[in-house]
Amino acid sequence: MTQTPLLRIAVPCPLRQAFDYWAPSSATPEQCAPGVRVRVPFGRRELIGICIACPAEPDIDPKKIKPALAILDDQPILNTPLLNLLTWTSQYYHHPIGETLCEALPSALRQGKPSDPLADSVITLTDKGTQALADNSLKRAKQQHTALERLSKETRVLSTDLKRLEITPVTRRALEKKELIATHTETHQAWHYTPSQIGHTLNDEQHHAVTAIREANGFRAFLCAGVTGSGKTEVYYQAMEPILASGKAVLLLVPEIALTPQTLNRLAERFHVPVVATHSGLSDTERYQAWLKALYNQAAIIVGTRSAVFTPCPNLGMIVIDESHDTAFKQTSGLRYHARDLAIKRAHSSNIPIILGTATPTLESLYNAERGHYTLLTLTKRAGNSQPPKIICLPQHRDFQQTSGLSPSIVEAINACLAQKKQVLLFLNRRGYAPLFICHHCGTICKCSHCDTNMTYHREKNRLVCHQCHRMQTPPSHCSHCEQANHIPYGLGTEQLESACCEQFPHARICRIDRDTTKNTTQLKEQLNRIHDHDADILIGTQMLAKGHHIKALTLVVIINADQGFFCSDFRAIERTGQLIMQVAGRCGRDKEPGNVIIQTALPDFPPLKQLVNEGYLTFARQLLKEREDASLPPASAFAIVGAQARSATDAEHALQHLRQWLKQHNDIPATLLGPMPALCQKINDTHRFQLGILTSNKTQREHLLLRIDSYLLHHKNSRVRFLLDVDAQALL
Ligand code: ADP
Ligand code: ZN
């Protein structure tokens, strides 16, 4: 009699280990494999875990091992390379294996939904539909006409593509009722790439980049550092072509969902292969469908945000990370992984090329390029006929507050731009009307009673809002300190800038994009469409508008209050602010008309800013990198943060002091410990946050130290303090 196989299961719980179970008697041999979901008894509950190994010998006394209840998949849904990546992730970020694996699965699969391949639900134009389009007989029903037009352009439309094509369920039903379209179910068809639309003729720099990437044989990481508008997208596309032609899939990571609709349509038009999107803006069902499509090779191109790095792609041929400098690739709670680093790891183990594209590479990426870990490909010129924008620094005007940032020369520049029927972008990274609400009599500032923040005044809502905990309150009628009734809003936010623009430029159409005006992706899409269709002249935006957008008629960018970010106490503040400024600046002059950028600053002589403006981002960044190396700060050293959170500041701080003391006695690994120090915003939602920074000269040393810290935390449980570990932290807490 053969023995029942053992399954080692990672269970979704905060424990650092996996647990052994006997396979259920109903299981087939194919099912007993790493990567299948297994329902198991766990304490008094039943949980769905994932088999990570089938060991020959159990870890514990065999008599204590329980049988699993059921195996939910006929074959592994996480293949070996992905399982290896996730195991590595769990170790590298010191995060429980069960919770790490959970991160990779869409919630429907975590809850036990089946993992069988989905049948394709294909939508086609009927003869009547084709006729209606040709006769233009639907011109009164504009949406239906547009829908038919869009459907006719695609080779094979699935019902899951309708959202991307912006065809609503109502329009779909109307067309079905009129029998202009029909839906039928097909078993899945393999996709084939047939070259159709030819891209741009590459310029020399692009050509060099594409050739280098195409010549990569197996793993190689490329840092494609191309100034804004240099045609990086064309480089990615032409690099992807031979991969798709050989039947392999491409994973494209983007920082923001705001960028995906544009990207998806561009890809679908160019390649005529199934493109799927996966990001947190989708419903659970949509994510589940996208994941299964990727798993069963029904997707040729997978586009997604951070978590898409965990999408199963059994036949992956290339990874592309667009805007790879973006901090959105690092998760800042729970499993604090960096999707860029995991993507590199994944490309390495899959032995495929990976492209990190950006106009503003992080110092880490430059450091890796300098050491030969990445191949640096630079695109120094804008593609086509467009010119680099002309950037000037404008000293902040005395009347900054009275004019709401619109000093006379800025007004003049905006008027000139509007007179030419062009668009202008005013960038201000602060939403609301004013960041401060002050008693005019005694100067007392309204603060959040649950956080270490000043309340932001929102005039449209007539509320004070805390941007940390989102609490709102009616503006006080009297000062809590001197009891006078005389409050004024102070400082500048996008709401105020908008109303100032309405007064200054009464004839201009104004569109403000920030988190208050775009509550959901539909609203955001509508506003972006307005911008792209030139239905707005003045765009006012926070960093939501800074990224990736290609707005043709935009020729003037004004960065209001640009240096806000330079003076944050994080050692990356200058790098990040420089990136943001260059990204915003890069939105303009991308078509034939040249662009102008005005950086309004209180410190026009600040050396890094001068260098950024006069010598460009790469020189600026290399200088910063040199300073980091001299100071042995990341990327010249390995960094991590141990955070402590507690109801009382003393508890949080003491916990870290105690850890520091303990390390002094029990640790012989050379390391610099920074702190404990309060987080940049010490109190959020009545929780006090402290941090201990750890610097070692390399990652191996850091790993030894972190293992020691793990064991300390395991043996010094403190019910009043919650600890967290941020490996390769990208920002101070
Ligand atoms: P980036 O991502 O580098 O900021 P894009 O890829 O958006 O830039 O390209 C900017 C513009 O240049 C796009 O309109 C693109 O169609 C165009 N473009 C790219 N490559 C070429 C080329 N070789 N010749 C002409 N136009 C190009
Ligand atoms: Zn608050």
Side-chain angles (χ1 to χ4, degrees):
M1 194 184 108
T2 51
Q3 207 202 337
T4 318
L6 262 179
L7 307 175
R8 187 154 292 162
I9 313 278
V11 180
C13 73
L15 296 170
R16 293 291 171 89
Q17 80 209 78
F19 300 88
D20 288 350
Y21 289 88
W22 300 117
S25 51
S26 58
T28 64
E30 295 78 50
Q31 282 184 307
C32 297
V36 293
R37 290 171 301 159
V38 186
R39 193 187 297 279
V40 294
F42 193 75
R44 283 197 214 144
R45 295 179 294 165
E46 279 182 17
L47 293 176
I48 295 174
I50 296 198
C51 173
I52 54 169
C54 300
E57 296 293 326
D59 264 352
I60 55 164
D61 177 3
K63 290 197 204 80
K64 289 190 178 154
I65 297 179
K66 293 184 194 160
L69 302 169
I71 297 184
L72 306 187
D73 304 302
D74 292 337
Q75 50 183 319
I77 59 168
L78 293 173
N79 58 19
T80 312
L82 199 50
L83 260 186
N84 289 346
L85 178 74
L86 286 159
T87 313
W88 183 86
T89 304
S90 152
Q91 283 162 359
Y92 185 85
Y93 292 103
H94 292 250
H95 198 75
I97 177 73
E99 290 185 355
T100 306
L101 290 172
C102 262
E103 199 86 25
L105 293 183
S107 68
L109 288 172
R110 289 204 295 266
Q111 289 153 14
K113 281 247 177 83
S115 63
D116 306 323
L118 303 166
D120 288 345
S121 180
V122 184
I123 296 178
T124 45
L125 257 67
T126 56
D127 292 344
K128 215 171 141 190
T130 316
Q131 197 58 40
L133 189 62
D135 301 346
N136 209 6
S137 63
L138 278 174
K139 51 181 178 292
R140 296 241 185 102
K142 191 159 175 264
Q143 289 197 343
Q144 294 176 20
H145 181 81
T146 318
L148 285 189
E149 224 169 41
R150 287 188 186 148
L151 290 171
S152 71
K153 278 191 192 146
E154 306 251 334
T155 30
R156 188 164 182 269
V157 181
L158 305 183
S159 58
T160 43
D161 290 323
L162 292 180
K163 192 167 181 184
R164 168 173 67 76
L165 296 169
E166 293 177 34
I167 299 173
T168 63
V170 176
T171 311
R172 177 185 176 177
R173 272 195 299 276
L175 291 171
E176 275 171 345
K177 232 173 132 191
K178 293 184 188 167
E179 293 177 349
L180 301 176
I181 61 170
T183 307
H184 56 277
T185 315
E186 280 177 9
T187 50
H188 160 65
Q189 289 181 3
W191 55 270
H192 294 287
Y193 168 69
T194 33
S196 48
Q197 189 194 331
I198 300 157
H200 292 286
T201 310
L202 300 177
N203 62 34
D204 287 349
E205 289 180 328
Q206 284 175 315
H207 186 259
H208 170 78
V210 170
T211 312
I213 301 165
R214 285 188 171 191
E215 277 170 1
N217 187 6
F219 170 73
R220 205 153 150 204
F222 296 93
L223 176 61
C224 181
V227 299
T228 51
S230 57
K232 291 185 286 293
T233 312
E234 191 61 37
V235 170
Y236 309 152
Y237 286 8
Q238 299 212 13
M240 281 157 60
E241 249 174 53
I243 306 287
L244 294 170
S246 70
K248 294 204 165 137
V250 175
L251 177 63
L252 172 59
L253 299 180
V254 295
E256 285 255 3
I257 18 171
L259 297 178
T260 45
Q262 218 182 1
T263 312
L264 292 178
N265 291 332
R266 267 183 171 185
L267 285 166
E269 278 167 28
R270 174 77 172 250
F271 293 111
H272 296 276
V273 289
V275 178
V276 307
T278 162
H279 53 74
S280 56
L282 299 180
S283 69
D284 283 350
T285 313
E286 287 169 324
R287 283 187 89 161
Y288 168 61
Q289 288 172 340
W291 206 88
L292 289 181
K293 277 189 171 183
L295 175 64
Y296 292 109
N297 253 327
Q298 290 168 292
I301 304 175
I302 296 108
V303 185
T305 47
R306 186 171 65 220
S307 62
V309 74
F310 298 122
T311 318
C313 309
N315 208 4
L316 190 60
M318 176 182 271
I319 304 178
V320 180
I321 309 184
D322 196 15
E323 312 288 354
S324 66
H325 64 278
D326 203 300
T327 50
F329 288 117
K330 178 81 155 74
Q331 183 146 293
T332 52
S333 63
L335 171 61
R336 294 167 183 255
Y337 67 97
H338 202 312
R340 174 202 62 203
D341 295 342
L342 292 186
I344 300 260
K345 185 84 194 158
R346 187 164 179 182
H348 184 260
S349 59
S350 310
N351 200 25
I352 56 172
I354 175 167
I355 310 174
L356 314 186
T358 171
T360 52
T362 59
L363 303 194
E364 280 152 9
S365 293
L366 282 178
Y367 186 79
N368 277 319
E370 281 181 4
R371 264 151 200 75
H373 302 314
Y374 300 167
T375 305
L376 182 64
L377 305 167
T378 48
L379 308 177
T380 58
K381 293 186 286 289
R382 282 197 158 177
N385 298 323
S386 83
Q387 298 299 309
K390 224 174 87 195
I391 308 181
I392 59 159
C393 283
L394 184 74
Q396 193 163 318
H397 204 258
R398 269 179 281 111
D399 297 339
F400 181 79
Q401 187 63 40
Q402 287 87 328
T403 58
S404 302
L406 297 175
S407 68
S409 38
I410 290 180
V411 172
E412 197 182 312
I414 295 176
N415 274 325
C417 176
L418 295 178
Q420 291 177 343
K421 300 260 178 296
K422 294 292 174 195
Q423 288 171 297
V424 44
L425 166 64
L426 303 181
F427 176 82
L428 177 63
N429 213 1
R430 193 153 245 174
R431 66 197 171 87
Y433 188 83
L436 298 177
F437 201 66
I438 307 183
C439 168
H440 202 37
H441 187 71
C442 73
T444 300
I445 297 171
C446 291
K447 288 181 168 299
C448 176
S449 41
H450 302 272
C451 307
D452 263 345
T453 49
N454 299 320
M455 297 297 264
T456 300
Y457 178 55
H458 287 245
R459 200 171 69 173
E460 283 162 16
K461 296 198 258 260
N462 190 32
R463 287 284 185 283
L464 297 180
V465 181
C466 170
H467 284 186
Q468 289 293 352
C469 72
H470 313 293
R471 279 191 179 80
M472 283 198 235
Q473 68 184 61
T474 324
S477 53
H478 293 82
C479 174
S480 61
H481 185 70
C482 71
E483 301 193 345
Q484 297 273 337
N486 194 7
H487 278 100
I488 52 159
Y490 190 82
L492 184 61
T494 46
E495 227 182 74
Q496 185 181 153
L497 187 57
E498 182 183 17
S499 67
C501 283
C502 288
E503 275 179 35
Q504 275 284 352
F505 313 101
H507 302 297
R509 295 160 301 172
I510 297 169
C511 176
R512 169 162 68 93
I513 293 202
D514 57 31
R515 259 203 284 149
D516 298 314
T517 64
T518 53
K519 298 256 154 44
N520 52 48
T521 42
T522 322
Q523 274 184 345
L524 178 60
K525 255 192 212 167
E526 278 168 19
Q527 278 175 312
L528 288 175
N529 285 344
R530 243 186 98 192
I531 292 177
H532 287 289
D533 297 344
H534 203 158
D535 281 340
D537 308 302
I538 299 181
L539 328 175
I540 296 172
T542 54
Q543 51 182 329
M544 281 178 100
L545 258 186
K547 299 173 182 183
H549 301 289
H550 185 77
I551 306 162
K552 283 204 168 125
L554 185 67
T555 60
L556 175 65
V557 165
V558 184
I559 304 177
I560 310 249
N561 212 350
D563 25 49
Q564 252 174 30
F566 280 132
F567 306 106
C568 162
S569 54
D570 197 310
F571 65 84
R572 286 192 175 88
I574 298 179
E575 173 191 359
R576 297 273 185 252
T577 309
Q579 286 164 351
L580 187 59
I581 290 178
M582 286 324 261
Q583 290 292 339
V584 182
R587 294 313 109 215
C588 78
R590 291 169 71 95
D591 212 40
K592 285 167 216 94
E593 303 295 324
N596 286 298
V597 179
I598 301 176
I599 301 177
Q600 176 169 262
T601 166
L603 292 165
D605 295 321
F606 185 51
L609 180 61
K610 272 174 104 169
Q611 191 169 37
L612 179 68
V613 169
N614 299 332
E615 297 168 64
Y617 178 82
L618 282 184
T619 314
F620 157 89
R622 287 193 172 115
Q623 172 65 31
L624 285 183
L625 180 54
K626 201 174 155 294
E627 288 165 16
R628 291 262 189 93
E629 294 187 71
D630 291 345
S632 296
L633 283 169
S637 54
F639 185 52
I641 290 176
V642 186
Q645 304 182 341
R647 284 282 166 185
S648 111
T650 332
D651 281 346
E653 191 173 13
H654 281 181
L656 291 178
Q657 266 162 359
H658 196 264
L659 167 63
R660 196 189 157 115
Q661 283 301 328
W662 186 86
L663 284 174
K664 257 194 189 150
Q665 287 154 15
H666 298 87
N667 168 47
D668 46 11
I669 299 154
T672 310
L673 302 179
L674 311 167
M677 53 201 163
L680 297 182
C681 181
Q682 191 198 305
K683 186 175 74 168
I684 297 178
N685 234 337
D686 294 313
T687 301
H688 291 266
R689 301 143 71 246
F690 279 77
Q691 56 193 331
L692 182 69
I694 293 166
L695 284 169
T696 57
S697 55
N698 60 54
K699 290 189 174 179
T700 314
Q701 288 182 344
R702 183 186 63 192
E703 179 59 17
H704 287 306
L705 191 57
L706 291 180
L707 286 172
R708 242 162 250 193
I709 291 177
D710 272 348
S711 79
Y712 170 89
L713 295 179
L714 197 65
H715 294 106
H716 292 78
K717 286 248 161 68
N718 180 340
S719 60
R720 294 195 304 274
V721 182
R722 257 190 67 201
F723 290 97
L724 63 89
L725 204 57
D726 191 347
V727 179
D728 296 331
Q730 293 294 298
L732 296 181
L733 296 181

